[in-house]
Structures are given as structure tokens and as C-alpha cells.
Amino acid sequence: MAARKLVVAAIAALPFALAPVDYAQAQARTMYDGSWSVVVNGQTGECQGTFNYSVQIVDGIIGFGGEASVSGRVSPNGAVSVRVVSGAQSAAGSGRLSRNFGSGSFHGQSSGGGICAGSWVAQRTGG
């Protein structure tokens, strides 16, 4: 059960995640910058279920306060690309944002070799 929670936490960070960002000093520079609500729908493997998360995008860099090592960006055309690593677990996600909404998919592998996949949707909540 603990392994499943860690996989879900790592996967859930996929659409919108990055190491700590200094939000106070960053200035909004893309139309995607601001607060977003993300709903992750794990459809296969060890991450089945629906999970809700709040994230920030600052200067096109995706920020999430999770414990995983994460890198991600939103390109000027709205393409989302992100990679999450937590111990022996890893995942990759992609998708697209519009000004206020977005969607995409993710896939990953748990430390036990289990595969996990699903989709995500996002909605701007502020900013």
C-alpha cells in the first residue's frame, strides 16, 4: 500500500511538477502562468483511481510541492512535457494546455517493475 501511494504521488506530479521555484521573485511571462487544478485519473497498474492536485506554473516552469525529483515545462504553444523520478520509480507525462484548460496522458514504472498509466485534465484556478 505504501508503494502504491508513492507511485501515485510521483505520477500525480507528472502534468505539473518541478523542483522548488521562487514564486515571489518570478514574474508571469507566459499565458499559462498561474494556479491550476489537476485531476489525475490512473487507469492501469499500481496507480488506479482519481486524484486532485493544485499546481503553479511560473514563467512556463511547472511547480509542485512534492518530494519527487521532477522537471517540466509548458512550451509557448501549450505543449506540456514532464518527467518524475522518486527512488526506483519513474514516470513521464505529456499533453497540452489552452489558456484555461488542458489534458494529457502519463505512463510510468514502479520500483517493483509494475506499469502505471492514465490521463490528466487541468483547469486554471487563478492567475
Side-chain angles (χ1 to χ4, degrees):
M1 183 68 168
R4 180 182 182 274
K5 286 183 180 181
L6 187 54
V7 169
V8 169
I11 299 299
L14 280 176
F16 303 94
L18 187 66
V21 174
D22 187 352
Y23 297 110
Q25 293 186 12
Q27 295 180 356
R29 295 185 183 147
T30 75
M31 68 183 245
Y32 312 105
D33 288 0
S35 301
W36 292 78
S37 174
V38 180
V39 178
V40 175
N41 184 17
Q43 298 161 334
T44 65
E46 296 183 28
C47 63
Q48 292 182 15
T50 301
F51 309 90
N52 299 300
Y53 297 90
S54 296
V55 298
Q56 292 286 320
I57 300 175
V58 176
D59 195 19
I61 298 172
I62 302 164
F64 176 79
E67 296 178 10
S69 171
V70 183
S71 58
R73 291 197 65 82
V74 181
S75 71
N77 70 0
V80 174
S81 176
V82 67
R83 176 142 173 85
V84 178
V85 177
S86 180
Q89 301 169 105
S90 63
S94 62
R96 186 162 303 278
L97 294 180
S98 66
R99 182 170 294 279
N100 295 308
F101 300 97
S103 63
S105 62
F106 67 88
H107 64 278
Q109 186 169 2
S110 71
S111 57
I115 301 298
C116 182
S119 61
W120 58 268
V121 294
Q123 182 173 353
R124 183 187 296 274
T125 58

